[in-house]
Amino acid sequence: METDLESASRASRGAVRFTLLCVLMGAAVAPAAAQDTLSFNRDVRPILSEHCFSCHGPDAAHRQADLRLDIAESALAERDGVRAIVPFDSEASELVYRITAEDRFEIMPPADAHLPLSKDEIALLRRWVEEGAPYAGHWAFETPVKPSVPKTTGHPIDAFVDARLMEAGLSRSERAGREALIRRASLDLTGLPPTVAEVDAFLADDDPRAFERLVDELLTREQTAERLTLDWLDVARYADTNGYSIDDHREMWPWRDWVIRAFRDNKPYDEFLTWQLAGDLLPEATLDQKIATGFLRNAMNTHEGGTIPEEYRVASIVDKIDTVGTSLMGLTLECAQCHDHKYDPISQKDYYRFFALLNQTSEGGTGAVNGNTQPTLDLGEAWGGRDDVIRSYQRREEDLLAFLAELFADRRRALEQELLERASPAEEMPLPRGAHEIFAAAMPKWVWAPDVRDDDSLTVERAFHLESVPASAWLAISGDNRAELHLNGQRLGVVDPWMEPFAGDVAAHLLAGENVLRVEASNAGGVAGLLVALVDEGDTAILATDETWRFSRGNAANGLARGGEMKELGPYGAAPWGHFAASGASPEIRLPKLAAIPEVERSFEQWRPLLERLGKSLEEPERTLLHRQLGAIEGELKLVRERLKSRRATVMVLDSGKPRPTPMLDRGSYDRPGEVVEPGVPAFLEGPGQRPVTNRLELARWLTDAKHPLTARVAVNRYWQMLMGTGLVETAEDFGSQGSWPSHPELLDWLAVSFVEHGWNVRWLLKTIVLSEAYRQSSRVTAELRERDPYNRLLARSSRVRLPAEHVRDNALFIGGLLSMRVGGPSTYPDQPDGLWRQASHFGYPGFFSAQSFYPSVGEDRFRRSLYTFWKRTAPPPALTAFDAPNREVCTVRRPRTNTPLQALVTLNEPQFMEAARALGERMFQSEGGREVPDIVTAFRACTGRVPSDAERALLEEAYDRHLRRYLAEPAAAVALTRSEAGDDESRARLAAATLIASTLLNLDETITRP
């Protein structure tokens, strides 16, 4: 019930404002009638902003009657003998007359605006006028001043909270139990629950400072740095793909790793922001400072055909403005892109002055294909050659090959068995490698003859010297299109077409001394190419096409005098060989040998001919699906192998670029430039005597100036939101006129100023909040609190909040003992429904785009923290989106919190949750000497942090006995659930029954909710 109430408050921004207004006006909390005077910012501005500012606010272009109600000078001015507001005289005030009018032509807001005022709102506005209609500047735009702490002997946060509760006639709840406290702190700070051993140690520690020591220790864990990074990834709209339609991959994980390190090292928040906005502009910028600027490069980009580069370049800067405005300033700057802001004093000119600050990089409007878009930073082997990174890519290569084994596995294995049974021993000629592997050993490249005409013929010769004839020498050769092959005057055969190369042992045709390989080719169109590899039995290259070759046009009789050198132009297509079948050896001889290779030892080049042979036996659409999967995996393997070969990493960053003029854009359209403006910040925030802000570094220093009214407030509010469930300003993304009034304004300002005074120390801020009694309260909801403060805005208790999506998954894996604690490195691919990416991507496009079809990780990488899950914007991980994870197309500082039946279906059925349940079921039987009865109590404690009651224990034990009886009677069902045939029927039945109990425990509301 409590979690539902918490979630209900997120229905809509309008509903939040109306609800908050009612709470502030209602007698149950802090009735306006009981206060001496109204507060313009708290009581009046929200009403005017919601109902009036769209026509009578800052937006000059849409303003009606030249009347502004957001500033006193205009509201009190006389117009044609009429004044909108006459202080202390509601009867003479046009505003009061209009909001109470019954004539549909006179009432305000007009009916067609669909923004009617309630009776309570009308009464409050009338009262405000009667009290003199005092105006005040918007609270968030005033520099915070550290308020005096209400008299107390306790924690400053508690002093402010208690003072507010006293006004409402309420008091704080009792402190939560110690089991709840360690669980709450662990989940909030690390994103993971405490172990049973950690709970026991904390319960046994009766030192008064035990909780503080616990918090200090948690704050230094790498898991806390990962937990803080998770929220920042939402802010930075981090993803592993480019977004838009094609949505192919990029590699920004080095920037993500930098964020983890920054939080691990407790980097001051002002420095943290400065590096990300302008690290490249700092004097003698370091590698880390440049990497940090990837923050603003996480925007989407595209290389789709028909892309207009300038349109998308402008869209990228718009995204950067939205990110900076939302995350650092709590302002909806984007509302001024097309016209003056309707609610806040941000003009369109202000917007484009801000635009000019971010308009000076060399970033273009067209994205790179299958990788990072310039400007990029080459991190070299310091990053790409790290052991953990190399191992990650090696595991990814193994994952992709493992998926090949799953393609139509039953039918493919049946085909292989048939091939093996039909193979004739007499045909088993020695063939140590296929053509692809010979090719890889010599690393040849396509070479080309320049200016070859269609239907031309070509003769190519290469002379080479051998000291002695090797026992075995394998030749792989192909020419474009048809090629007749001769070695030392002996005809070897014909290649036709080029996709079916010659491959065979040619040692019998070699000579000690000079040898000549001759290729007579006819070209059927376009340029003509040649691809050759000759290796000995030791895999040593004897001859390859990266050496000098000579050619002539016409037939062989013309000689070579009219020819020249072959020109190397690079690889011919994604895979040089095309099909595996070679004229030097029959496919029917080759395939049985490949089928005899164990699946786990096969290379892609060995898998491909077998799967292509399978494809011939498939009907449509399966045949097409198989070939598309082969093409996609081949492309993904190529990218992975490039990383392994180069051992280097890159990251997208900001640079200085060339100075660009910045015009205002009519209605925000990239192709309608107007007045050119100079860089700057919104005029209402400039302040008297402030130095001009002309570049990103000056912008960063302006934002982190102690006098800036927004940056520190926005930061502490978001960390409060992380720990308490809801920010002191509920609309964490909007501190403007349309945002919520702070529940505790003085506390917000005290935290903001103190945060700056303590050197922008995030760890100090988190500890300060967590050590308060407000944080340590019980979350128990009494009938009185449910009625008087259903959304816990007064903080008379702690809030029970469901864990973020990533933590729901991580907790299940952690409790089951499966979660990998490795930190950093490339993203991984935990299980998700097969085919999901294919439905949302360009899978099937003739060319190759990465990240079009999903290939799951195998082994430990499946169980890494969700922070490292590969994030495809057009198809984010479904198990996480079910729990409200964003798609990361735009900056997000506040996730919605919903409760849906789909969430229960995920936690009960999603493969990784089932694996966690099986693992927890196994752990119930683990102890010295083993157990025959599961340890349900310890499992319950691992999930909830507390000991079950007698009734709960009895219920679970009865359920276990019931499941055990079923699986003893249905041994096949036990095998299906446990996915194991080990042991006897009874042991499998016990494990199956324990798995269902574990699944029940992992799906308790208490397990996925912070206490």
Side-chain angles (χ1 to χ4, degrees), residues 439 442-450 458-465 474-479 483-488 492 510 515-521 528-535 541-553 559-569 577:
F439 215 13
M443 297 182 66
K445 299 177 182 177
W446 282 92
V447 293
W448 304 89
L458 193 72
T459 299
V460 181
E461 276 191 2
R462 171 74 173 122
F464 58 96
H465 183 85
W474 287 90
L475 173 69
I477 184 168
S478 185
E484 186 169 311
L485 315 177
H486 299 264
L487 178 59
N488 294 327
L492 298 179
L510 293 174
N515 293 262
V516 177
L517 178 65
R518 185 181 185 91
V519 180
E520 297 175 0
L530 179 69
L531 192 61
V532 177
L534 178 61
V535 296
I542 299 174
L543 187 66
T545 46
D546 55 1
E547 302 169 359
T548 302
W549 293 71
R550 301 286 294 176
F551 77 95
S552 68
R553 292 191 180 88
L560 297 173
R562 296 172 52 209
E565 292 185 1
M566 299 285 279
K567 303 295 184 181
E568 182 180 317
L569 299 182
W577 279 116

Side-chain angles (χ1 to χ4, degrees), residues 816-855:
L818 298 177
L819 188 67
S820 167
M821 304 302 280
R822 245 182 335 111
V823 176
S827 297
T828 57
Y829 304 76
D831 295 332
Q832 69 174 35
D834 181 44
L836 186 63
W837 281 14
R838 297 200 296 271
Q839 296 300 318
S841 72
H842 282 236
F843 181 78
Y845 174 77
F848 168 70
F849 294 135
S850 54
Q852 305 301 297
S853 187
F854 184 85
Y855 304 108

Side-chain angles (χ1 to χ4, degrees), residues 546-772:
D546 55 1
E547 302 169 359
T548 302
W549 293 71
R550 301 286 294 176
F551 77 95
S552 68
R553 292 191 180 88
N555 57 41
N558 290 334
L560 297 173
R562 296 172 52 209
E565 292 185 1
M566 299 285 279
K567 303 295 184 181
E568 182 180 317
L569 299 182
Y572 184 56
W577 279 116
H579 299 295
F580 191 91
S583 56
S586 166
E588 295 306 314
I589 297 174
R590 189 180 307 277
L591 290 176
K593 289 192 157 299
L594 297 177
I597 300 173
E599 291 182 1
V600 295
E601 297 178 11
R602 293 177 191 173
S603 67
F604 177 80
E605 291 75 20
Q606 291 166 333
W607 271 113
R608 182 164 195 159
L610 290 168
L611 290 169
E612 286 183 338
R613 174 65 179 80
L614 173 66
K616 294 178 181 179
S617 66
L618 298 177
E619 300 292 334
E620 295 293 354
E622 290 179 333
R623 179 186 301 167
T624 296
L625 175 62
L626 174 62
H627 285 297
R628 287 176 175 173
Q629 290 280 27
L630 275 174
I633 292 173
E634 183 177 29
E636 298 289 349
L637 276 170
K638 179 182 178 182
L639 294 172
V640 171
R641 287 168 175 175
E642 285 175 357
R643 303 297 180 276
L644 288 170
K645 181 180 178 181
S646 70
R647 298 178 67 89
R648 304 180 78 82
T650 67
V651 65
M652 298 192 298
V653 294
L654 296 174
D655 65 2
S656 296
K658 295 189 301 184
R660 280 192 178 99
T662 299
M664 294 176 61
L665 302 178
D666 184 24
R667 302 298 299 172
S669 180
Y670 76 96
D671 58 352
R672 298 172 68 180
E675 175 190 353
V676 174
V677 298
E678 294 299 317
V681 296
F684 79 98
L685 289 173
E686 283 185 318
Q690 179 177 291
R691 295 175 60 184
V693 177
T694 62
N695 60 41
R696 286 183 283 113
L697 183 55
E698 291 173 353
L699 170 64
R701 288 170 174 162
W702 173 74
L703 283 166
T704 55
D705 189 289
K707 295 180 180 179
H708 198 288
L710 291 164
T711 310
R713 279 184 174 130
V714 169
V716 299
N717 185 71
R718 204 159 56 240
Y719 285 117
W720 184 277
Q721 173 183 267
M722 183 187 97
L723 295 171
M724 306 294 265
T726 304
L728 293 167
V729 178
E730 186 169 6
T731 53
E733 70 284 357
D734 189 358
F735 275 49
S737 294
Q738 289 289 91
S740 301
W741 170 255
S743 61
H744 298 73
E746 294 82 7
L747 174 56
L748 178 65
D749 283 0
W750 184 89
L751 285 170
V753 175
S754 299
F755 183 44
V756 175
E757 289 176 346
H758 283 80
W760 301 82
N761 187 327
V762 173
R763 203 169 282 176
W764 170 87
L765 177 64
L766 297 175
K767 179 177 178 179
T768 298
I769 297 173
V770 171
L771 290 186
S772 69

Side-chain angles (χ1 to χ4, degrees), residues 130-147:
E130 292 288 351
E131 291 182 355
Y135 270 82
H138 184 50
W139 66 270
F141 303 154
E142 304 292 332
T143 298
V145 177
K146 192 173 185 178

Side-chain angles (χ1 to χ4, degrees), residues 33 457 723 793 808 863 948 951 970 981:
S457 60
L723 295 171
R793 301 301 291 134
V808 173
F863 304 120
E970 302 177 33
E981 296 186 4

Side-chain angles (χ1 to χ4, degrees), residues 21 96 101 113 296 307 391-392 468 698 707 796 844 923:
L21 181 65
V96 176
L296 288 182
T307 295
R391 284 195 296 271
S392 291
S468 61
E698 291 173 353
K707 295 180 180 179
R923 297 183 80 184

